[in-house]
Amino acid sequence: MADKYHDTVAKSSVTVDDSAVAAETAKILEIAGDKHNTPDILKFLFSCVELTSLRSTDSQQSISALVDKVNLFESEHGDLPNVAAICVYPNFAQTVRAVLEVSEVEIACVAGGFPSSQTFPEIKVAETALAVASGADEIDTVINLGDFLDDDWESVTDELGEIKNSCRDHALKVILETGALQTATRVRAAAILSLYSGADFIKTSTGKGYPGATPEAVYVMCKCIKEYFGATGRMAGIKVAGGVSTVADALRYYAVVSAVLGEKWLTPEYFRIGSSNLANELYKTITGKTENFF
């Protein structure tokens, strides 16, 4: 199919050979070994975590309790960095805003028909606007996989552009759902379309219904971010989510991001990990305590 969307993706030099991607990723992880397993890097990884609660049983009471723990962490562990953000459904943005006392912690909301992206475009735009108006600093939305897989890339980018406009000056994270895309070819295309549609971050997964993040997918996404930066001068972030629950997992993704994107991206402004379980595991490793904090 010949159009500007397919032409833009076709011009990319990011490799889409799955075996080559696997080999390059394995090489990065082998070289990294355990060298990143240091107290400073573990603290940094903690500062990149987005505490996430996206359950059908979420309520104002349960979300308030989660936010209270973030406030308590600030008072009890002022020597440690706090988490980067709290990620909730959009109807809880106002709750988080009312309870949160730590100004450095961002409020992230899923919006736009999460997790399937299967609803009217007008609802996606309206839900995003409502989340922002209710106090969200950041919006996580899922790319329209149906249109993407049907090669209707114009609809994909038009919709993402409208959602980005609805975010106003707030950050938009576009979830590629890499477990559904499966191949490097599709991950590269979805990443490039999202970036050129205005995504401030590209994110691996929803953690709902499909396999989560993999180092290989993150490698391709980082390569796309680096290429996009070279072409536009605009830095976009990477968010890893879906099945990232151990310190070893986090260190693997740190190794990939560090190797491909470099030190400039090693800040919570451009690197995030969505996982409440990881926050507890990092906390226990850093402090030597055995109980969960969050």
Side-chain angles (χ1 to χ4, degrees), residues 139-144 156 160-161 163-164 171-177 190-191 193-195 197-205 221 237 239:
I139 296 296
D140 291 39
T141 197
V142 183
I143 192 172
N144 190 318
V156 170
L160 288 176
I163 293 171
K164 174 58 183 173
L172 175 65
K173 307 190 200 89
V174 177
I175 306 167
L176 308 187
E177 200 69 284
L193 293 175
S194 298
L195 290 167
S197 298
D200 299 289
F201 277 77
I202 48 176
K203 174 180 170 182
T204 54
S205 318
M221 292 165 68
K239 179 176 175 181

Side-chain angles (χ1 to χ4, degrees), residues 44-82:
F44 166 71
L45 288 169
F46 187 88
S47 76
C48 297
V49 168
E50 293 189 17
L51 283 179
T52 303
S53 189
L54 298 170
R55 299 186 296 263
S56 299
T57 54
D58 287 343
S59 66
Q60 288 191 25
Q61 183 175 343
S62 68
I63 297 301
S64 293
L66 176 63
V67 180
D68 279 335
K69 291 178 182 178
V70 174
N71 294 335
L72 182 62
F73 186 87
E74 185 76 6
S75 62
E76 290 192 355
H77 298 283
D79 57 323
L80 297 176
N82 214 316

Side-chain angles (χ1 to χ4, degrees), residues 2 14 21 25 29 39 87 95 102 111 126 137 142 183 189 211 229 248 272:
V14 174
V21 168
T25 306
L29 297 178
C87 184
T95 301
V102 187
D137 300 304
V142 183
T183 67
F229 175 68
R272 298 283 183 83

Side-chain angles (χ1 to χ4, degrees), residues 12-15 21 24 28 188 191-192 195 202 216-229 238 256 259-261:
S12 172
S13 62
V14 174
T15 181
V21 168
E24 285 299 312
I28 288 171
R188 181 185 73 171
I192 291 172
L195 290 167
I202 48 176
E216 292 79 14
V218 171
Y219 173 85
V220 174
M221 292 165 68
C222 286
K223 284 286 189 179
C224 291
I225 289 170
K226 186 173 184 178
E227 184 179 70
Y228 176 74
F229 175 68
I238 178 85
V256 174
V260 178
L261 289 173

Side-chain angles (χ1 to χ4, degrees), residues 276-287:
S276 292
N277 288 336
L278 177 62
N280 282 318
E281 293 305 308
L282 285 167
Y283 168 76
K284 289 187 284 188
T285 303
I286 292 166
T287 64

Side-chain angles (χ1 to χ4, degrees), residues 29 32-51 73 80-85 218 238-241 244-259 262 265-286 294:
L29 297 178
D34 290 329
K35 72 177 182 179
H36 297 311
N37 193 358
T38 68
D40 284 345
I41 290 178
L42 294 178
K43 290 176 185 177
F44 166 71
L45 288 169
F46 187 88
S47 76
C48 297
V49 168
E50 293 189 17
L51 283 179
F73 186 87
L80 297 176
N82 214 316
V83 295
V218 171
I238 178 85
K239 179 176 175 181
V240 184
V244 187
S245 58
T246 69
V247 173
D249 290 337
L251 288 168
R252 280 193 287 271
Y253 291 114
Y254 177 92
V256 174
V257 173
S258 176
W265 269 264
L266 296 178
T267 163
E269 186 179 358
Y270 294 107
F271 179 38
R272 298 283 183 83
I273 306 174
S275 172
S276 292
N277 288 336
L278 177 62
N280 282 318
E281 293 305 308
L282 285 167
Y283 168 76
K284 289 187 284 188
T285 303
I286 292 166
F294 298 102

